[in-house]
Amino acid sequence: MPRQIDWLSILVQCKTNVQRRISPLLATLSKPQPNLGIGAGGDPMRQVDLAAEKAIVETLRKHDLQFTLVSEESGLKKYGKNPQENYITTDPIDGTTNLTRGIPFYATSIAVSTKPTLETVHAALVADLFHDVTYTAQNGKGAHRNGRKVTPSGNTLLEEAVIGIDINSYKVQKITSQLTRLIQRTKHIRHFGANALELCYVADGTSDAFIDIRGKLRTTDMAAAWLIIREAGARMTSPTGEPLKVKLDPKQKVEFVASANQEMHETILNLLRHEKDEE
Ligand code: IPD
Ligand code: CA
């Protein structure tokens, strides 16, 4: 009989180990940092990123798990005899710039899947490491925040909505025309700098939508939040309304719109579509 694995308990242990491992490094962030090269996702690696990844792998290995790691830092790595049994897709620290600058908004993100594809993700954790708030989800079992079931907001009015938009891109002129009408209709635009966590804010009703159409976000950053959004009952599709069917790979990029409910989702997609048609 295949071994029953309590993924949520293991993911929470990973998170606790990440906190333990990065804690001594937090005090050293103002000192000059060693040059550790570029990670698989294309950004410079920092000691905290590597320490967090090490903590995740160490915890999984302690449970004798066989898996393929899909990480923003080390890329693809195989562990155990049958590494294709499980895929662990992680952004060990999402929001590294926030962390290094002392902005209290950064997370660890871990997704478990049976294949290296988004639609096979079946267990997930995103944890706000500063405030110690943990979001988890399991396929068919709902999404939880510190163990309590979450539901997205019922707000359908764009004018009242809190909308996250990531416009953090050198090629911003490519997306601004598509976003103009949406921005003109809203009063509360936000971007906090850790997209995994910002997606969880849609899942639990803290915000009403989160949009990233830059074509720049890696699937390692959103794989876990995708399940949390879905299990909470919120919506998340491509900017043209298609289901997200993407490979889990540190180099794979993704664009999406996540909304609290279908009405809000359609309103946003229509505004994005309209602008694209006018280009
Ligand atoms: C970053 C954050 C940020 C987004 C960047 C991501 P990282 O993740 O999610 O909000 O604008 O595109 O790379 O690099 O801190 O893991
Ligand atoms: Ca990262």
Side-chain angles (χ1 to χ4, degrees):
M1 226 174 77
R3 177 182 155 203
Q4 286 291 323
I5 300 169
D6 183 353
W7 280 111
L8 287 195
S9 149
I10 294 171
L11 294 181
V12 171
Q13 289 170 42
C14 288
K15 177 223 71 158
T16 309
N17 203 17
V18 168
Q19 284 172 315
R20 192 176 66 86
R21 286 267 185 190
I22 69 167
S23 146
L25 296 171
L26 298 180
T28 69
L29 289 172
S30 54
K31 306 209 170 94
Q33 298 290 308
N35 181 353
L36 299 171
I38 302 292
D43 289 342
M45 285 188 293
R46 304 203 173 234
Q47 273 181 310
V48 271
D49 297 313
L50 290 179
E53 182 185 278
K54 195 169 169 196
I56 293 166
V57 171
E58 183 177 77
T59 309
L60 297 169
R61 294 299 286 154
K62 204 181 81 193
H63 286 275
D64 263 341
L65 292 163
Q66 324 208 42
F67 58 94
T68 302
L69 183 77
V70 183
S71 168
E72 187 187 308
E73 307 307 335
S74 294
L76 295 174
K77 271 194 170 173
K78 295 181 191 312
Y79 293 89
K81 273 194 186 148
N82 293 310
Q84 70 287 357
E85 261 185 20
N86 304 292
Y87 288 81
I88 306 292
T89 299
T90 181
D91 183 1
I93 302 286
D94 180 40
T96 304
T97 302
N98 280 352
L99 183 151
T100 54
R101 300 297 294 266
I103 300 169
F105 194 84
Y106 48 88
T108 192
S109 166
I110 317 170
V112 187
S113 61
T114 51
K115 294 200 171 86
T117 57
L118 187 63
E119 65 263 40
T120 64
V121 173
H122 60 83
L125 171 144
V126 174
D128 175 336
L129 296 171
F130 185 87
H131 301 98
D132 202 15
V133 172
T134 302
Y135 295 88
T136 51
Q138 248 183 320
N139 199 9
K141 294 192 177 159
H144 296 83
R145 178 186 191 270
N146 286 349
R148 295 178 77 131
K149 203 167 170 49
V150 295
T151 47
S153 117
N155 178 27
T156 54
L157 288 178
L158 199 53
E159 290 71 14
E160 303 300 323
V162 174
I163 307 275
I165 306 183
D166 192 338
I167 52 163
N168 179 14
S169 167
Y170 294 124
K171 297 183 186 147
V172 70
Q173 69 279 9
K174 269 192 158 179
I175 55 168
T176 38
S177 65
Q178 211 185 335
L179 292 167
T180 307
R181 255 170 47 108
L182 170 67
I183 294 172
Q184 281 169 341
R185 289 267 309 271
T186 56
K187 285 191 281 194
H188 313 291
I189 299 291
R190 302 284 186 274
H191 177 46
F192 301 128
N195 294 12
L197 204 47
E198 288 175 88
L199 282 166
C200 293
Y201 276 19
V202 179
D204 77 354
T206 303
S207 69
D208 301 290
F210 185 72
I211 297 156
D212 189 340
I213 58 168
R214 300 170 299 155
K216 194 179 155 187
L217 196 78
R218 295 166 284 249
T219 49
T220 46
D221 297 44
M222 49 65 79
W226 173 82
L227 187 68
I228 293 166
I229 286 266
R230 217 189 59 177
E231 285 297 322
R235 301 278 292 121
M236 186 166 174
T237 67
S238 77
T240 49
E242 315 297 328
L244 291 174
K245 289 202 167 143
V246 284
K247 236 171 55 180
L248 297 177
D249 183 279
K251 299 233 175 327
Q252 176 72 45
K253 307 290 168 63
V254 61
E255 297 180 13
F256 57 78
V257 174
S259 319
N261 52 67
Q262 184 60 22
E263 210 172 320
M264 177 68 72
H265 201 59
E266 275 166 23
T267 306
I268 293 173
L269 293 188
N270 280 335
L271 287 166
L272 297 181
R273 249 181 233 131
H274 190 90
E275 280 298 324
K276 197 146 195 137
D277 294 346
E278 280 182 358
E279 270 174 25

